[in-house]
Amino acid sequence: MDSDIPHRKRALRAELRERRQNLTSVERDTATAGLTENLQSLAIDLSARSISCYLSSLTEPSTRPFVNWAEADGIRVLFPVSREDGLLDWTVGEDNGETEGLAGVPEAAGTLLGPIAINDVDLIIVPAAAVDSTGMRMGWGRGYYDKTLGSMDKCPPVYAVVFDNEFVDEVPREVHDQPVNGLVTPTRIISFQND
């Protein structure tokens, strides 16, 4: 049965990817507005002065207006940069440019601060394909965030960003998968009680 989990994950990711690609521009704009408002509320509620957040790709829920707000509000934002060894490096993106990362996703350009820079943030915002009702996150299969979160001694709150229909009853789970403390969608913020 365990050997079936990677296949179930691939099938679910393909379905979610197709759903995201089929969203209309109006649905996307509405989702972005709600998501931005909810991410702002979360950052304010947690009194976050330093966060990590990824640059969303075209089909992901857009984190960009939130990042712009955070930077304008004086919140230090660390952006993930993928590495060959499967870990994430971090930058504050002071070059204001973007490059394409190893996984083909947008990444901020700037001085690399090293993998442990993440230890100093108050809030971690991560991408996800889906999150289930127990707080288990299913990513896109490259394991960057699972490795990063699994290696942290003391982890600040971690919230995954998904569209509303990507909060599901259950996601296929493997040993290395890391849960999140909560999720943010365009219509709600949900916190989980995980150990």
Side-chain angles (χ1 to χ4, degrees):
M1 179 148 176
D2 279 354
S3 63
D4 190 41
I5 291 175
H7 174 72
R8 286 175 37 218
K9 280 185 168 182
R10 273 193 304 278
L12 183 54
R13 284 184 187 113
E15 178 188 325
L16 294 168
R17 203 173 270 121
E18 185 176 334
R19 250 194 252 160
R20 285 183 174 189
Q21 287 167 340
N22 289 333
L23 286 173
T24 66
S25 58
V26 171
E27 289 170 325
R28 245 178 237 299
D29 290 348
T30 302
T32 297
L35 184 68
T36 302
E37 190 175 305
N38 286 339
L39 284 169
Q40 289 170 344
S41 294
L42 179 64
I44 291 166
D45 289 349
L46 294 175
S47 303
R49 298 315 303 153
S50 179
I51 63 172
S52 77
C53 188
Y54 62 100
L55 290 175
S56 53
S57 65
L58 291 175
T59 58
E60 288 180 302
S62 182
T63 58
R64 291 162 186 271
F66 166 68
V67 165
N68 293 340
W69 168 84
E71 289 180 331
D73 202 49
I75 297 173
R76 182 174 186 252
V77 181
L78 285 185
F79 298 99
V81 177
S82 51
R83 295 175 14 149
E84 294 282 354
D85 63 4
L87 291 174
L88 291 171
D89 209 322
W90 303 93
T91 182
V92 291
E94 71 277 4
D95 296 351
N96 290 325
E98 288 182 28
T99 60
E100 186 174 294
L102 297 175
V105 296
E107 292 181 349
T111 304
L112 297 179
L113 306 173
I116 64 168
I118 187 73
N119 290 329
D120 298 327
V121 301
D122 302 318
L123 170 64
I124 300 175
I125 305 291
V126 298
V131 177
D132 73 18
S133 55
T134 69
M136 189 50 59
R137 169 190 172 271
M138 184 179 79
W140 293 104
R142 293 181 185 90
Y144 286 110
Y145 284 98
D146 289 323
K147 285 184 188 110
T148 296
L149 299 175
S151 70
M152 294 178 74
D153 287 339
K154 186 170 175 268
C155 199
V158 178
Y159 278 74
V161 171
V162 291
F163 287 111
D164 286 297
N165 62 3
E166 295 164 350
F167 177 42
V168 298
D169 291 337
E170 185 183 7
V171 296
R173 179 181 184 174
E174 293 177 278
V175 176
H176 62 267
D177 291 334
Q178 297 290 317
V180 292
N181 301 103
L183 65 86
V184 181
T185 77
T187 63
R188 55 195 170 164
I189 300 169
I190 296 174
S191 296
F192 302 110
Q193 302 302 319
N194 30 16
D195 302 325

